Amino acid sequence: MSKPSRESGEQARDGNRVAARRDFDALRERRMRAAEMFDQGRRQSGVAAELGVSAQAVSKWHRAWSAGGREAMAGAGRAGRMRKLSDERLAEVETELMKGPRTNGFATEMWTLARVAEVIDRVTGVRYSVTQTGTILRDGLGWSRQRPARKAAERDDEAIEE
């Protein structure tokens, strides 16, 4: 399974709805159309009506346009909160995890989300919840959840072999 691109901004959840909402080129184009309208002296209410956006959004765009022109309306090019860990920091975490739980000071050779969160905190100084740690392992590092095969204590391997 390949790692998903963090730069596309698209999610696999609801297909079109999420992808359309995060079409950064279309959002930028709409802001640039608003800038053209502001250049022509159009009122904010008219811009909002024509572009089908809220008055609050147009007011925010107008403030940016007034302060810095079209360049100020270019946008951030991303949505959501900035990631706490860069790809380089995630690589450092993965290197440490590949050494194994015992090398990292744990009593058994099994990773748990709490243990991984501890390693992330030790290596990077960033604390994550157990839930977020699972997301980082799955989406950030491409790891999957695995459970050890259980064997009954009474199991007789020799008898099974016969």
Side-chain angles (χ1 to χ4, degrees), residues 11 13-23:
Q11 304 285 325
R13 283 186 291 189
D14 191 14
N16 296 337
R17 192 184 103 243
V18 174
R21 198 175 57 197
R22 300 213 176 185
D23 183 355

Side-chain angles (χ1 to χ4, degrees), residues 31 35 38 47 64-65 76 78 82-83 100 105 109-110 114 121 128-130 132 139 141-142 150 155 160:
R31 287 191 306 272
F38 295 149
V47 172
W65 174 79
R78 56 169 307 283
M82 295 290 287
R83 294 185 303 140
E109 278 295 327
M110 185 171 15
D121 184 22
Y128 284 108
S129 69
V130 172
Q132 187 62 27
D139 298 342
L141 298 176
R150 301 208 181 251
R155 179 181 166 132
I160 293 172

